[in-house]
Amino acid sequence: MQTILEIDNVKKKYGKTQVLNSISLKVEEGEIISVLGPSGCGKSTLLRIIAGILPLDGGSVRIRGQEVSGPHHNLPAEKRGINMVFQDFALWPHMKVEDNITYGLKIQKVDREETKRRVDEIVSLLHLDGLLNRYPAELSGGQQQRVAIARALVTKPSIVLLDEPLCNLDVQLRIEMRTEMSYLFHKLKTTVFHVTHDPSEAFAMADRIIIMNGGKIDQADDPRTCYLKPGTALVAGLLGAGNDLQKTQIVETEKDSCRVRIGGETVEGMYFPGEDHSGTGSSPRNAQVRFRPEDGHWLGGRAQGNCFQARSVLSTFEGGCYRVKMQTEDGQEFCILHQEPIPEEENGYVQVGKEQLYVYESPVH
Ligand code: ADP
């Protein structure tokens, strides 16, 4: 497979603040990449550098082997063979849908016959039949989104950049559109660089998810691996493991597994040593333990395999099940899901499978 986009050691500062810190990444032809991360982690900055809208301070960006961004070089956006779909779609309001779609082909001087062939194809793929004579203001949000995608794809760019493309659509439409976009991009073998803060959008669309944190990459893996083996506590939190038991004591570690003390019991989890862990020294080693509410199972008074003691605090109905706030004996709070409410102040055991309990060793200070 050919590498289409190569980001090498890219750095960017705003004033004195380092916003991108040595980002390196390769994107193969036809691959759909989703860059996911909390607000402010540098996703849009990276996207804008690739688009050629923003210069970088260090490193380089290559498209099909050609350097387009370097410390002393910034190829203009329109010469990069890249198209972008913006959050607000950015359709030209004074042009009809057909003119919006064909504008790029006119600039490229594509002949009339080929233009008709490409427009027919994209209109049919995106179900835009019957809308070509309308102005953008006469379209629903979902239709505007489709036109923006049609406009981005019709010139067959090397890469399509998507900047939070679904954030202006309502929830139901968002779910429909992400499935449809994933189908379309895979069918057309489009190389896509997609930026989002919504994990479900990344899961639905990506072949590979790049998780950014504070201007660097925390994890770059296929969606299943990111979900099942979140490499850092931040990734775990971002991907649903909201329960966060800080300062948990480590009893013993092996290669990938680890035993920790929670709620008066020793339980086993998946071990992530991190970059700056304390190793096997004699001082007590602490960890941050994360797990998803849906992976915590209430056993009541019967202890049974990989469980720890806790006390229920509050049950709230979530539709389908209850979210139960709980507390360990040393006062750490977490939530589990349960079919029934659990009476307040009830003591019992919570079981979490060892593959679902993520243990991140705390760095030594
Ligand atoms: P994200 O897209 O992940 O939310 P951004 O790339 O937009 O993050 O921003 C990264 C960081 O850079 C943030 O802390 C943001 O406040 C800061 N930032 C973005 N644009 C500018 C700018 N033009 N001047 C100064 N700081 C900026």
Side-chain angles (χ1 to χ4, degrees), residues 14-15 17 19-20 37-46 48 164 195:
Y14 287 120
T17 313
V19 176
L20 295 181
S39 178
C41 73
K43 307 180 294 291
S44 305
T45 302
L46 182 60
R48 279 186 250 145
E164 301 268 6
V195 161

Side-chain angles (χ1 to χ4, degrees), residues 301-341:
R302 297 180 317 278
Q304 185 187 316
N306 227 46
C307 68
F308 53 89
Q309 288 186 57
R311 180 174 59 86
S312 67
V313 177
L314 183 70
S315 300
T316 44
F317 187 54
E318 283 223 325
C321 66
Y322 287 80
R323 177 172 293 262
V324 187
K325 192 161 140 183
M326 313 224 45
Q327 211 172 52
T328 59
E329 63 172 16
D330 60 348
Q332 304 209 64
E333 287 191 341
F334 63 94
C335 286
I336 62 169
L337 302 185
H338 194 60
Q339 282 308 108
E340 306 290 332

